[in-house]
Amino acid sequence: MSLEDQATAEQEHQHHTYTSSEIPWYVRLIWVLFWIFVIYYSLTYFLPTMQTELVNPP
């Protein structure tokens, strides 16, 4: 490449516009609902079953 083909940093900067990647509110809501379900499932089904399985293994 010759020097004529190379652009300066100022010329290249005009094409580099970065925006933040903000997470939408509904994606956050889905994650909150997922973790609420995980806690509910763990307390309702998983932990009582594990206590039974540890006392009486199959």
Side-chain angles (χ1 to χ4, degrees), residues 16-20:
H16 294 237
T17 55
Y18 298 105
T19 59
S20 66

Side-chain angles (χ1 to χ4, degrees), residues 14-31:
Q14 68 183 351
H15 301 293
H16 294 237
T17 55
Y18 298 105
T19 59
S20 66
S21 56
E22 185 176 334
I23 300 171
W25 65 269
Y26 54 87
V27 175
R28 292 178 193 256
L29 178 65
I30 291 171
W31 274 110

Side-chain angles (χ1 to χ4, degrees), residues 27-39:
V27 175
R28 292 178 193 256
L29 178 65
I30 291 171
W31 274 110
V32 168
L33 292 175
F34 170 76
W35 285 112
I36 289 171
F37 173 75
V38 167
I39 293 169

